[in-house]
Short mmCIF file of all heavy atoms in Angstrom, two decimals:
data_model
loop_
_atom_site.label_atom_id
_atom_site.label_comp_id
_atom_site.label_asym_id
_atom_site.label_seq_id
_atom_site.Cartn_x
_atom_site.Cartn_y
_atom_site.Cartn_z
N MET X 1347 15.34 -3.07 19.45
CA MET X 1347 15.49 -2.52 18.24
C MET X 1347 14.33 -3.10 17.20
O MET X 1347 13.84 -2.27 16.46
CB MET X 1347 16.82 -3.07 17.64
CG MET X 1347 17.12 -2.49 16.22
SD MET X 1347 17.25 -0.77 16.35
CE MET X 1347 17.54 -0.42 14.60
N LEU X 1348 13.92 -4.18 17.32
CA LEU X 1348 12.84 -4.77 16.49
C LEU X 1348 11.52 -4.10 16.79
O LEU X 1348 10.76 -3.81 16.02
CB LEU X 1348 12.68 -6.25 16.73
CG LEU X 1348 11.74 -6.92 15.84
CD1 LEU X 1348 12.23 -6.91 14.50
CD2 LEU X 1348 11.56 -8.34 16.37
N GLU X 1349 11.31 -3.76 18.13
CA GLU X 1349 10.13 -3.08 18.48
C GLU X 1349 10.06 -1.67 17.79
O GLU X 1349 9.03 -1.09 17.46
CB GLU X 1349 9.98 -2.98 20.02
CG GLU X 1349 9.63 -4.20 20.66
CD GLU X 1349 11.07 -4.90 21.06
OE1 GLU X 1349 12.19 -4.29 20.89
OE2 GLU X 1349 11.07 -6.08 21.44
N TRP X 1350 11.23 -0.97 17.89
CA TRP X 1350 11.25 0.45 17.18
C TRP X 1350 11.05 0.37 15.67
O TRP X 1350 10.26 1.16 15.13
CB TRP X 1350 12.53 1.06 17.47
CG TRP X 1350 12.75 1.51 18.89
CD1 TRP X 1350 13.43 0.86 19.79
CD2 TRP X 1350 11.90 2.43 19.63
NE1 TRP X 1350 13.28 1.50 21.05
CE2 TRP X 1350 12.52 2.58 20.91
CE3 TRP X 1350 11.18 3.48 19.11
CZ2 TRP X 1350 11.98 3.59 21.73
CZ3 TRP X 1350 10.68 4.42 20.03
CH2 TRP X 1350 11.10 4.47 21.25
N ALA X 1351 11.51 -0.67 15.05
CA ALA X 1351 11.23 -0.78 13.63
C ALA X 1351 9.81 -1.15 13.39
O ALA X 1351 9.24 -0.52 12.42
CB ALA X 1351 12.08 -2.00 13.10
N ALA X 1352 9.14 -1.96 14.27
CA ALA X 1352 7.77 -2.20 14.13
C ALA X 1352 6.86 -1.13 14.29
O ALA X 1352 5.88 -0.75 13.69
CB ALA X 1352 7.41 -3.40 14.97
N LEU X 1353 7.36 -0.31 15.26
CA LEU X 1353 6.46 0.88 15.61
C LEU X 1353 6.70 1.94 14.44
O LEU X 1353 5.66 2.62 14.14
CB LEU X 1353 7.10 1.60 16.93
CG LEU X 1353 6.42 2.84 17.38
CD1 LEU X 1353 4.88 2.64 17.62
CD2 LEU X 1353 7.15 3.56 18.50
N LEU X 1354 7.77 1.93 13.88
CA LEU X 1354 7.94 3.00 12.69
C LEU X 1354 7.18 2.51 11.47
O LEU X 1354 6.37 3.40 10.88
CB LEU X 1354 9.44 3.10 12.29
CG LEU X 1354 9.69 3.96 11.14
CD1 LEU X 1354 9.41 5.41 11.48
CD2 LEU X 1354 11.21 3.83 10.64
N ILE X 1355 7.08 1.14 11.28
CA ILE X 1355 6.24 0.66 10.21
C ILE X 1355 4.77 0.91 10.44
O ILE X 1355 3.98 1.32 9.58
CB ILE X 1355 6.58 -0.90 10.01
CG1 ILE X 1355 7.99 -1.11 9.74
CG2 ILE X 1355 5.65 -1.40 8.90
CD1 ILE X 1355 8.46 -1.07 8.36
N VAL X 1356 4.26 0.80 11.65
CA VAL X 1356 2.89 0.96 12.03
C VAL X 1356 2.56 2.49 11.83
O VAL X 1356 1.43 2.75 11.44
CB VAL X 1356 2.62 0.48 13.37
CG1 VAL X 1356 1.28 1.04 13.97
CG2 VAL X 1356 2.65 -1.08 13.56
N ILE X 1357 3.31 3.44 12.17
CA ILE X 1357 3.17 4.84 12.04
C ILE X 1357 3.05 5.11 10.54
O ILE X 1357 2.18 5.92 9.98
CB ILE X 1357 4.32 5.62 12.69
CG1 ILE X 1357 4.12 5.45 14.24
CG2 ILE X 1357 4.20 6.96 12.27
CD1 ILE X 1357 5.27 6.12 14.98
N ILE X 1358 3.99 4.44 9.67
CA ILE X 1358 3.88 4.74 8.29
C ILE X 1358 2.55 4.17 7.72
O ILE X 1358 1.91 4.62 6.84
CB ILE X 1358 5.14 4.06 7.55
CG1 ILE X 1358 6.35 4.89 7.84
CG2 ILE X 1358 4.93 3.98 6.10
CD1 ILE X 1358 7.50 4.16 7.49
N LEU X 1359 2.10 2.99 8.20
CA LEU X 1359 0.89 2.39 7.89
C LEU X 1359 -0.28 3.23 8.11
O LEU X 1359 -1.20 3.43 7.36
CB LEU X 1359 0.70 0.98 8.52
CG LEU X 1359 1.45 -0.18 7.99
CD1 LEU X 1359 1.25 -1.40 8.92
CD2 LEU X 1359 1.05 -0.55 6.66
N LEU X 1360 -0.22 3.88 9.33
CA LEU X 1360 -1.33 4.67 9.63
C LEU X 1360 -1.39 5.95 8.93
O LEU X 1360 -2.42 6.44 8.43
CB LEU X 1360 -1.27 5.12 11.24
CG LEU X 1360 -1.66 3.96 12.18
CD1 LEU X 1360 -1.25 4.37 13.61
CD2 LEU X 1360 -3.10 3.57 12.00
N ALA X 1361 -0.30 6.55 8.58
CA ALA X 1361 -0.15 7.83 7.75
C ALA X 1361 -0.63 7.40 6.43
O ALA X 1361 -1.39 8.20 5.69
CB ALA X 1361 1.21 8.34 7.80
N SER X 1362 -0.35 6.24 5.86
CA SER X 1362 -0.70 5.91 4.45
C SER X 1362 -2.20 5.61 4.36
O SER X 1362 -2.88 5.93 3.44
CB SER X 1362 0.06 4.67 4.00
OG SER X 1362 1.39 4.89 3.98
N ALA X 1363 -2.72 4.95 5.47
CA ALA X 1363 -4.20 4.75 5.50
C ALA X 1363 -4.94 6.14 5.46
O ALA X 1363 -6.08 6.24 4.85
CB ALA X 1363 -4.57 3.85 6.70
N VAL X 1364 -4.51 7.07 6.23
CA VAL X 1364 -5.19 8.38 6.33
C VAL X 1364 -5.04 8.97 4.91
O VAL X 1364 -5.93 9.67 4.57
CB VAL X 1364 -4.55 9.25 7.42
CG1 VAL X 1364 -5.02 10.67 7.29
CG2 VAL X 1364 -4.96 8.68 8.91
N ALA X 1365 -3.84 8.87 4.28
CA ALA X 1365 -3.68 9.38 3.02
C ALA X 1365 -4.66 8.80 1.99
O ALA X 1365 -5.15 9.50 1.12
CB ALA X 1365 -2.23 9.23 2.51
N VAL X 1366 -4.93 7.49 2.12
CA VAL X 1366 -5.88 6.89 1.08
C VAL X 1366 -7.19 7.57 1.31
O VAL X 1366 -7.91 7.79 0.22
CB VAL X 1366 -6.02 5.34 1.49
CG1 VAL X 1366 -7.16 4.85 0.74
CG2 VAL X 1366 -4.80 4.65 1.11
N LEU X 1367 -7.64 7.93 2.46
CA LEU X 1367 -8.85 8.51 2.76
C LEU X 1367 -8.95 10.04 2.38
O LEU X 1367 -10.06 10.53 2.11
CB LEU X 1367 -9.42 8.28 4.16
CG LEU X 1367 -9.58 6.79 4.62
CD1 LEU X 1367 -9.77 6.78 6.03
CD2 LEU X 1367 -10.60 6.23 3.72
N THR X 1368 -7.89 10.77 2.47
CA THR X 1368 -7.93 12.09 2.35
C THR X 1368 -7.41 12.65 1.00
O THR X 1368 -7.76 13.94 0.70
CB THR X 1368 -7.09 12.76 3.40
OG1 THR X 1368 -5.71 12.37 3.47
CG2 THR X 1368 -7.76 12.49 4.83
N VAL X 1369 -6.66 11.98 0.29
CA VAL X 1369 -6.02 12.52 -0.89
C VAL X 1369 -7.10 12.62 -1.97
O VAL X 1369 -8.02 11.78 -2.15
CB VAL X 1369 -4.87 11.55 -1.40
CG1 VAL X 1369 -5.31 10.30 -1.96
CG2 VAL X 1369 -3.97 12.39 -2.44
N ARG X 1370 -6.93 13.69 -2.78
CA ARG X 1370 -7.98 14.02 -3.89
C ARG X 1370 -7.74 13.15 -5.12
O ARG X 1370 -8.68 12.95 -5.94
CB ARG X 1370 -8.01 15.47 -4.17
CG ARG X 1370 -8.55 16.29 -2.98
CD ARG X 1370 -10.00 16.55 -3.09
NE ARG X 1370 -10.34 17.45 -1.97
CZ ARG X 1370 -11.59 17.59 -1.69
NH1 ARG X 1370 -12.46 16.79 -2.15
NH2 ARG X 1370 -11.93 18.42 -0.71
N ASN X 1371 -6.50 13.04 -5.53
CA ASN X 1371 -6.08 12.32 -6.68
C ASN X 1371 -6.27 10.82 -6.59
O ASN X 1371 -5.70 10.16 -5.63
CB ASN X 1371 -4.55 12.58 -6.91
CG ASN X 1371 -4.12 12.07 -8.24
OD1 ASN X 1371 -4.80 11.54 -8.98
ND2 ASN X 1371 -2.72 12.19 -8.43
N PRO X 1372 -7.09 10.26 -7.36
CA PRO X 1372 -7.33 8.80 -7.23
C PRO X 1372 -6.13 7.83 -7.44
O PRO X 1372 -6.01 6.86 -6.84
CB PRO X 1372 -8.35 8.49 -8.43
CG PRO X 1372 -8.86 9.76 -8.77
CD PRO X 1372 -7.81 10.90 -8.44
N ILE X 1373 -5.12 8.33 -8.32
CA ILE X 1373 -3.88 7.52 -8.47
C ILE X 1373 -3.09 7.62 -7.25
O ILE X 1373 -2.37 6.70 -6.70
CB ILE X 1373 -3.19 7.99 -9.73
CG1 ILE X 1373 -3.99 7.76 -10.96
CG2 ILE X 1373 -1.71 7.32 -9.74
CD1 ILE X 1373 -4.28 6.13 -11.21
N GLY X 1374 -3.16 8.81 -6.55
CA GLY X 1374 -2.42 9.00 -5.25
C GLY X 1374 -3.04 8.07 -4.17
O GLY X 1374 -2.30 7.43 -3.47
N ALA X 1375 -4.34 7.85 -4.17
CA ALA X 1375 -4.96 6.96 -3.33
C ALA X 1375 -4.59 5.49 -3.61
O ALA X 1375 -4.34 4.64 -2.70
CB ALA X 1375 -6.51 7.09 -3.39
N VAL X 1376 -4.47 5.14 -4.91
CA VAL X 1376 -4.00 3.82 -5.29
C VAL X 1376 -2.56 3.61 -4.81
O VAL X 1376 -2.22 2.42 -4.31
CB VAL X 1376 -4.03 3.60 -6.83
CG1 VAL X 1376 -3.48 2.29 -7.20
CG2 VAL X 1376 -5.62 3.63 -7.19
N ALA X 1377 -1.72 4.61 -4.95
CA ALA X 1377 -0.36 4.44 -4.48
C ALA X 1377 -0.14 4.22 -3.00
O ALA X 1377 0.57 3.43 -2.46
CB ALA X 1377 0.52 5.68 -4.98
N ALA X 1378 -1.09 5.05 -2.26
CA ALA X 1378 -1.13 5.03 -0.83
C ALA X 1378 -1.66 3.59 -0.40
O ALA X 1378 -1.08 3.02 0.69
CB ALA X 1378 -1.93 6.09 -0.20
N THR X 1379 -2.59 2.99 -1.11
CA THR X 1379 -3.04 1.67 -0.89
C THR X 1379 -1.89 0.71 -0.94
O THR X 1379 -1.70 -0.29 -0.19
CB THR X 1379 -4.16 1.32 -1.73
OG1 THR X 1379 -5.13 2.38 -1.56
CG2 THR X 1379 -4.73 -0.02 -1.45
N SER X 1380 -1.04 0.79 -1.96
CA SER X 1380 -0.01 -0.07 -2.31
C SER X 1380 1.10 0.09 -1.04
O SER X 1380 1.72 -0.88 -0.66
CB SER X 1380 0.62 0.19 -3.62
OG SER X 1380 -0.25 -0.18 -4.64
N VAL X 1381 1.29 1.26 -0.67
CA VAL X 1381 2.31 1.57 0.53
C VAL X 1381 1.72 0.84 1.75
O VAL X 1381 2.55 0.26 2.49
CB VAL X 1381 2.45 3.06 0.70
CG1 VAL X 1381 3.24 3.27 2.05
CG2 VAL X 1381 3.09 3.73 -0.43
N VAL X 1382 0.40 0.82 1.98
CA VAL X 1382 -0.10 0.12 3.09
C VAL X 1382 0.12 -1.34 3.01
O VAL X 1382 0.52 -2.08 3.92
CB VAL X 1382 -1.64 0.36 3.19
CG1 VAL X 1382 -2.23 -0.64 4.21
CG2 VAL X 1382 -1.91 1.76 3.65
N SER X 1383 0.01 -1.97 1.78
CA SER X 1383 0.20 -3.44 1.57
C SER X 1383 1.68 -3.72 1.77
O SER X 1383 2.04 -4.67 2.38
CB SER X 1383 -0.18 -3.79 0.15
OG SER X 1383 -1.62 -3.69 0.13
N LEU X 1384 2.51 -2.80 1.24
CA LEU X 1384 4.07 -3.08 1.44
C LEU X 1384 4.53 -3.03 2.87
O LEU X 1384 5.22 -3.79 3.29
CB LEU X 1384 4.80 -2.10 0.57
CG LEU X 1384 4.78 -2.47 -0.95
CD1 LEU X 1384 5.57 -1.31 -1.76
CD2 LEU X 1384 5.38 -3.75 -1.17
N GLY X 1385 3.78 -2.05 3.55
CA GLY X 1385 4.13 -2.01 5.10
C GLY X 1385 3.73 -3.09 5.83
O GLY X 1385 4.35 -3.67 6.70
N VAL X 1386 2.53 -3.68 5.47
CA VAL X 1386 2.13 -4.77 6.06
C VAL X 1386 3.03 -6.06 5.79
O VAL X 1386 3.21 -7.03 6.69
CB VAL X 1386 0.54 -5.27 5.68
CG1 VAL X 1386 0.14 -6.63 6.08
CG2 VAL X 1386 -0.35 -4.13 6.28
N SER X 1387 3.42 -6.14 4.50
CA SER X 1387 4.41 -7.18 4.11
C SER X 1387 5.70 -7.15 4.96
O SER X 1387 6.27 -8.12 5.42
CB SER X 1387 4.63 -7.38 2.66
OG SER X 1387 5.29 -6.24 2.22
N VAL X 1388 6.15 -5.88 5.24
CA VAL X 1388 7.34 -5.69 5.84
C VAL X 1388 7.14 -6.19 7.48
O VAL X 1388 8.04 -6.83 8.07
CB VAL X 1388 8.02 -4.23 5.94
CG1 VAL X 1388 9.04 -3.97 6.86
CG2 VAL X 1388 8.39 -4.02 4.46
N LEU X 1389 5.95 -5.92 7.90
CA LEU X 1389 5.70 -6.31 9.26
C LEU X 1389 5.57 -7.78 9.35
O LEU X 1389 6.12 -8.43 10.34
CB LEU X 1389 4.36 -5.73 9.73
CG LEU X 1389 4.22 -4.50 10.37
CD1 LEU X 1389 2.81 -4.01 10.71
CD2 LEU X 1389 5.17 -4.42 11.50
N PHE X 1390 5.14 -8.51 8.33
CA PHE X 1390 5.25 -10.01 8.31
C PHE X 1390 6.57 -10.56 8.28
O PHE X 1390 6.83 -11.54 8.87
CB PHE X 1390 4.42 -10.49 7.12
CG PHE X 1390 2.86 -10.46 7.23
CD1 PHE X 1390 2.14 -10.07 6.25
CD2 PHE X 1390 2.22 -10.83 8.48
CE1 PHE X 1390 0.72 -10.07 6.43
CE2 PHE X 1390 0.90 -10.77 8.66
CZ PHE X 1390 0.11 -10.40 7.60
N VAL X 1391 7.48 -9.80 7.58
CA VAL X 1391 8.80 -10.24 7.58
C VAL X 1391 9.41 -10.05 8.94
O VAL X 1391 10.17 -10.98 9.39
CB VAL X 1391 9.72 -9.45 6.62
CG1 VAL X 1391 11.12 -9.67 6.77
CG2 VAL X 1391 9.25 -9.79 5.21
N LEU X 1392 9.10 -8.92 9.65
CA LEU X 1392 9.53 -8.71 11.07
C LEU X 1392 9.00 -9.74 12.05
O LEU X 1392 9.67 -10.16 12.99
CB LEU X 1392 9.26 -7.48 11.58
CG LEU X 1392 10.08 -6.25 10.84
CD1 LEU X 1392 9.47 -5.06 11.43
CD2 LEU X 1392 11.39 -6.40 11.05
N LEU X 1393 7.88 -10.32 11.71
CA LEU X 1393 7.21 -11.50 12.50
C LEU X 1393 7.55 -12.79 12.10
O LEU X 1393 7.05 -13.74 12.56
CB LEU X 1393 5.74 -11.18 12.50
CG LEU X 1393 5.09 -9.92 13.07
CD1 LEU X 1393 3.61 -9.77 12.85
CD2 LEU X 1393 5.43 -9.88 14.62
N HIS X 1394 8.61 -12.77 11.20
CA HIS X 1394 9.15 -14.17 10.74
C HIS X 1394 8.16 -15.01 10.03
O HIS X 1394 8.05 -16.18 10.19
CB HIS X 1394 9.82 -14.91 11.89
CG HIS X 1394 10.80 -14.24 12.56
ND1 HIS X 1394 12.02 -13.96 11.98
CD2 HIS X 1394 10.82 -13.66 13.86
CE1 HIS X 1394 12.85 -13.21 12.96
NE2 HIS X 1394 12.17 -13.09 13.99
N ALA X 1395 7.45 -14.37 9.07
CA ALA X 1395 6.46 -15.08 8.34
C ALA X 1395 6.69 -14.71 6.76
O ALA X 1395 5.87 -14.02 6.26
CB ALA X 1395 5.03 -14.77 8.64
N PRO X 1396 7.81 -15.16 6.22
CA PRO X 1396 8.28 -14.61 4.94
C PRO X 1396 7.29 -15.16 3.74
O PRO X 1396 7.19 -14.51 2.92
CB PRO X 1396 9.66 -15.25 4.77
CG PRO X 1396 9.68 -16.42 5.63
CD PRO X 1396 8.77 -16.07 6.76
N ASP X 1397 6.64 -16.31 4.02
CA ASP X 1397 5.72 -16.77 2.87
C ASP X 1397 4.49 -15.90 2.91
O ASP X 1397 3.94 -15.55 1.80
CB ASP X 1397 5.28 -18.33 3.11
CG ASP X 1397 4.83 -18.49 4.63
OD1 ASP X 1397 5.06 -17.58 5.51
OD2 ASP X 1397 4.18 -19.45 4.85
N VAL X 1398 3.89 -15.44 4.03
CA VAL X 1398 2.88 -14.63 4.03
C VAL X 1398 3.24 -13.25 3.54
O VAL X 1398 2.50 -12.48 2.85
CB VAL X 1398 2.23 -14.49 5.41
CG1 VAL X 1398 1.06 -13.54 5.46
CG2 VAL X 1398 1.89 -15.93 5.93
N ALA X 1399 4.46 -12.83 3.83
CA ALA X 1399 4.99 -11.42 3.41
C ALA X 1399 5.10 -11.40 1.96
O ALA X 1399 4.76 -10.42 1.10
CB ALA X 1399 6.31 -11.20 4.04
N MET X 1400 5.62 -12.52 1.30
CA MET X 1400 5.73 -12.58 -0.24
C MET X 1400 4.32 -12.60 -0.88
O MET X 1400 4.12 -11.85 -1.84
CB MET X 1400 6.54 -13.69 -0.66
CG MET X 1400 7.98 -13.63 -0.44
SD MET X 1400 9.01 -15.04 -1.11
CE MET X 1400 8.17 -16.43 -0.50
N THR X 1401 3.38 -13.17 -0.34
CA THR X 1401 2.12 -13.35 -0.84
C THR X 1401 1.42 -11.95 -0.82
O THR X 1401 0.79 -11.32 -1.71
CB THR X 1401 1.13 -14.33 -0.15
OG1 THR X 1401 1.90 -15.61 -0.24
CG2 THR X 1401 -0.17 -14.38 -0.78
N GLU X 1402 1.53 -11.28 0.49
CA GLU X 1402 1.02 -9.92 0.58
C GLU X 1402 1.70 -8.82 -0.24
O GLU X 1402 0.95 -8.09 -0.92
CB GLU X 1402 1.16 -9.42 2.01
CG GLU X 1402 0.73 -8.01 2.33
CD GLU X 1402 -0.75 -7.90 2.11
OE1 GLU X 1402 -1.50 -8.79 2.30
OE2 GLU X 1402 -1.15 -6.83 1.88
N ALA X 1403 2.92 -8.96 -0.63
CA ALA X 1403 3.55 -8.04 -1.40
C ALA X 1403 3.23 -8.28 -2.87
O ALA X 1403 2.97 -7.38 -3.68
CB ALA X 1403 5.15 -8.21 -1.29
N ALA X 1404 3.05 -9.61 -3.26
CA ALA X 1404 2.63 -9.74 -4.67
C ALA X 1404 1.23 -9.50 -4.91
O ALA X 1404 0.86 -8.85 -5.86
CB ALA X 1404 2.96 -11.25 -5.02
N VAL X 1405 0.31 -9.94 -4.19
CA VAL X 1405 -1.10 -9.79 -4.27
C VAL X 1405 -1.60 -8.36 -3.84
O VAL X 1405 -2.25 -7.58 -4.55
CB VAL X 1405 -1.90 -10.82 -3.63
CG1 VAL X 1405 -3.39 -10.56 -3.66
CG2 VAL X 1405 -1.55 -12.06 -4.20
N GLY X 1406 -1.25 -7.91 -2.62
CA GLY X 1406 -1.66 -6.71 -2.03
C GLY X 1406 -1.04 -5.43 -2.70
O GLY X 1406 -1.97 -4.55 -3.02
N ALA X 1407 0.19 -5.40 -2.94
CA ALA X 1407 0.75 -4.35 -3.52
C ALA X 1407 0.78 -4.43 -5.11
O ALA X 1407 0.49 -3.42 -5.76
CB ALA X 1407 2.25 -4.09 -2.95
N GLY X 1408 1.18 -5.49 -5.61
CA GLY X 1408 1.25 -5.58 -6.99
C GLY X 1408 0.02 -5.74 -7.93
O GLY X 1408 -0.41 -4.92 -8.50
N LEU X 1409 -0.66 -6.79 -7.56
CA LEU X 1409 -1.82 -7.16 -8.42
C LEU X 1409 -2.96 -6.13 -7.99
O LEU X 1409 -3.65 -5.71 -9.00
CB LEU X 1409 -2.19 -8.61 -8.07
CG LEU X 1409 -3.40 -9.09 -9.00
CD1 LEU X 1409 -2.99 -9.16 -10.54
CD2 LEU X 1409 -3.74 -10.51 -8.58
N SER X 1410 -3.25 -5.96 -6.85
CA SER X 1410 -4.36 -5.03 -6.44
C SER X 1410 -4.06 -3.66 -6.94
O SER X 1410 -4.91 -2.93 -7.25
CB SER X 1410 -4.51 -5.05 -4.91
OG SER X 1410 -4.92 -6.33 -4.52
N GLY X 1411 -2.77 -3.13 -6.83
CA GLY X 1411 -2.46 -1.86 -7.27
C GLY X 1411 -2.69 -1.59 -8.82
O GLY X 1411 -3.30 -0.71 -9.26
N VAL X 1412 -2.45 -2.69 -9.45
CA VAL X 1412 -2.62 -2.54 -10.99
C VAL X 1412 -4.13 -2.65 -11.29
O VAL X 1412 -4.57 -1.86 -12.11
CB VAL X 1412 -1.87 -3.86 -11.76
CG1 VAL X 1412 -2.37 -4.02 -13.19
CG2 VAL X 1412 -0.38 -3.67 -11.68
N VAL X 1413 -4.85 -3.55 -10.65
CA VAL X 1413 -6.33 -3.68 -10.82
C VAL X 1413 -6.99 -2.28 -10.44
O VAL X 1413 -7.76 -1.77 -11.14
CB VAL X 1413 -6.86 -4.96 -10.02
CG1 VAL X 1413 -8.40 -4.80 -10.08
CG2 VAL X 1413 -6.43 -6.07 -10.63
N LEU X 1414 -6.58 -1.73 -9.41
CA LEU X 1414 -7.28 -0.43 -8.94
C LEU X 1414 -6.75 0.60 -9.92
O LEU X 1414 -7.70 1.41 -10.26
CB LEU X 1414 -6.70 -0.11 -7.53
CG LEU X 1414 -7.33 -0.89 -6.33
CD1 LEU X 1414 -6.75 -0.58 -4.95
CD2 LEU X 1414 -8.88 -0.59 -6.22
N ALA X 1415 -5.70 0.69 -10.33
CA ALA X 1415 -5.21 1.69 -11.37
C ALA X 1415 -5.93 1.62 -12.65
O ALA X 1415 -6.39 2.50 -13.16
CB ALA X 1415 -3.71 1.83 -11.52
N LEU X 1416 -6.13 0.36 -13.08
CA LEU X 1416 -6.96 0.18 -14.32
C LEU X 1416 -8.35 0.45 -14.17
O LEU X 1416 -8.99 0.94 -15.08
CB LEU X 1416 -6.82 -1.32 -14.72
CG LEU X 1416 -5.47 -1.67 -15.25
CD1 LEU X 1416 -5.35 -3.18 -15.64
CD2 LEU X 1416 -5.04 -0.95 -16.59
N GLY X 1417 -8.85 0.22 -12.97
CA GLY X 1417 -10.26 0.60 -12.66
C GLY X 1417 -10.50 2.09 -12.57
O GLY X 1417 -11.43 2.57 -13.16
N VAL X 1418 -9.54 2.83 -12.11
CA VAL X 1418 -9.59 4.33 -12.12
C VAL X 1418 -9.41 4.86 -13.50
O VAL X 1418 -10.06 5.75 -13.90
CB VAL X 1418 -8.50 4.92 -11.11
CG1 VAL X 1418 -8.38 6.35 -11.39
CG2 VAL X 1418 -8.69 4.67 -9.70
N ARG X 1419 -8.59 4.18 -14.22
CA ARG X 1419 -8.49 4.65 -15.73
C ARG X 1419 -9.70 4.29 -16.53
O ARG X 1419 -10.20 5.15 -17.35
CB ARG X 1419 -7.25 3.93 -16.22
CG ARG X 1419 -7.05 4.40 -17.67
CD ARG X 1419 -5.67 3.68 -18.14
NE ARG X 1419 -5.68 3.97 -19.58
CZ ARG X 1419 -4.91 3.13 -20.45
NH1 ARG X 1419 -4.35 2.07 -20.03
NH2 ARG X 1419 -4.96 3.50 -21.76
N LYS X 1420 -10.20 3.23 -16.20
CA LYS X 1420 -11.49 2.81 -17.08
C LYS X 1420 -12.63 3.84 -16.60
O LYS X 1420 -13.62 3.90 -17.42
CB LYS X 1420 -11.77 1.29 -16.64
CG LYS X 1420 -12.84 0.71 -17.55
CD LYS X 1420 -12.24 0.35 -18.85
CE LYS X 1420 -12.85 -0.73 -19.45
NZ LYS X 1420 -12.47 -1.07 -20.82
N ASN X 1421 -12.71 4.25 -15.37
CA ASN X 1421 -13.75 4.98 -14.91
C ASN X 1421 -13.57 6.50 -15.29
O ASN X 1421 -14.46 7.33 -15.01
CB ASN X 1421 -13.85 4.93 -13.36
CG ASN X 1421 -15.07 4.86 -12.76
OD1 ASN X 1421 -16.05 4.78 -13.46
ND2 ASN X 1421 -15.21 4.77 -11.53
N ALA X 1422 -12.59 6.77 -16.13
CA ALA X 1422 -12.39 8.00 -16.71
C ALA X 1422 -12.11 9.05 -15.70
O ALA X 1422 -12.31 10.32 -15.86
CB ALA X 1422 -13.48 8.56 -17.66
N LYS X 1423 -11.65 8.64 -14.56
CA LYS X 1423 -11.24 9.65 -13.56
C LYS X 1423 -9.81 10.09 -13.66
O LYS X 1423 -9.31 10.95 -13.00
CB LYS X 1423 -11.36 9.03 -12.17
CG LYS X 1423 -12.69 8.62 -11.79
CD LYS X 1423 -13.56 9.90 -11.46
CE LYS X 1423 -14.97 9.40 -11.05
NZ LYS X 1423 -15.93 10.38 -10.98
N TRP X 1424 -9.08 9.49 -14.59
CA TRP X 1424 -7.71 9.69 -14.74
C TRP X 1424 -7.36 9.56 -16.28
O TRP X 1424 -7.65 8.51 -16.77
CB TRP X 1424 -6.78 8.70 -13.90
CG TRP X 1424 -5.35 8.77 -14.29
CD1 TRP X 1424 -4.57 9.79 -14.23
CD2 TRP X 1424 -4.47 7.66 -14.60
NE1 TRP X 1424 -3.14 9.51 -14.37
CE2 TRP X 1424 -3.24 8.22 -14.65
CE3 TRP X 1424 -4.69 6.37 -14.74
CZ2 TRP X 1424 -2.14 7.42 -14.97
CZ3 TRP X 1424 -3.64 5.59 -15.17
CH2 TRP X 1424 -2.36 6.03 -15.19
N GLU X 1425 -6.82 10.56 -16.95
CA GLU X 1425 -6.47 10.43 -18.44
C GLU X 1425 -4.96 10.27 -18.51
O GLU X 1425 -4.18 10.95 -17.74
CB GLU X 1425 -6.91 11.69 -19.14
CG GLU X 1425 -8.53 11.81 -19.42
CD GLU X 1425 -9.13 12.42 -18.05
OE1 GLU X 1425 -8.49 13.17 -17.30
OE2 GLU X 1425 -10.23 12.12 -17.70
N MET X 1426 -4.53 9.49 -19.43
CA MET X 1426 -3.19 9.41 -19.80
C MET X 1426 -2.61 10.67 -20.45
O MET X 1426 -3.39 11.30 -21.26
CB MET X 1426 -2.95 8.25 -20.69
CG MET X 1426 -3.11 6.84 -20.10
SD MET X 1426 -1.92 6.34 -18.85
CE MET X 1426 -0.57 5.96 -20.01
N PRO X 1427 -1.42 11.18 -20.13
CA PRO X 1427 -0.89 12.43 -20.72
C PRO X 1427 -0.57 12.06 -22.12
O PRO X 1427 -0.12 10.96 -22.41
CB PRO X 1427 0.30 12.85 -19.93
CG PRO X 1427 0.59 11.66 -19.10
CD PRO X 1427 -0.66 10.89 -18.93
N ALA X 1428 -0.68 12.91 -23.04
CA ALA X 1428 -0.39 12.79 -24.50
C ALA X 1428 0.89 12.74 -24.75
O ALA X 1428 1.84 12.95 -24.22
CB ALA X 1428 -1.21 13.75 -25.37
#
């Protein structure tokens, strides 16, 4: 059962990584990057490394997602709706 869950997570990771490279919307690419980080953190939980999983979720998905979104906004590739 654990192998099937890990395989499903890896498939989601690969699909999200391809989405990062192919999506035209920069915010969509940032969201897909966060999905990759969350998937990796779930894999770490399945591998019984909860401390690494919490760090990956906080830094990889949380902080990096915010920094990337702010960078896209600062670069004027994305405007806030009025």
Side-chain angles (χ1 to χ4, degrees):
M1347 181 65 184
L1348 185 64
E1349 292 86 12
W1350 288 105
L1353 181 64
L1354 179 65
I1355 303 268
V1356 168
I1357 291 171
I1358 291 171
L1359 284 173
L1360 290 173
S1362 298
V1364 169
V1366 168
L1367 297 174
T1368 59
V1369 72
R1370 296 263 186 204
N1371 185 3
I1373 295 299
V1376 171
T1379 304
S1380 294
V1381 170
V1382 171
S1383 293
L1384 286 175
V1386 170
S1387 68
V1388 170
L1389 274 180
F1390 283 137
V1391 168
L1392 291 177
L1393 294 172
H1394 302 291
D1397 53 342
V1398 180
M1400 286 190 306
T1401 304
E1402 176 65 27
V1405 174
L1409 186 62
S1410 295
V1412 169
V1413 168
L1414 285 171
L1416 288 174
V1418 167
R1419 182 177 172 205
K1420 192 77 152 172
N1421 226 2
K1423 301 284 184 191
W1424 172 57
E1425 289 85 24
M1426 293 286 290

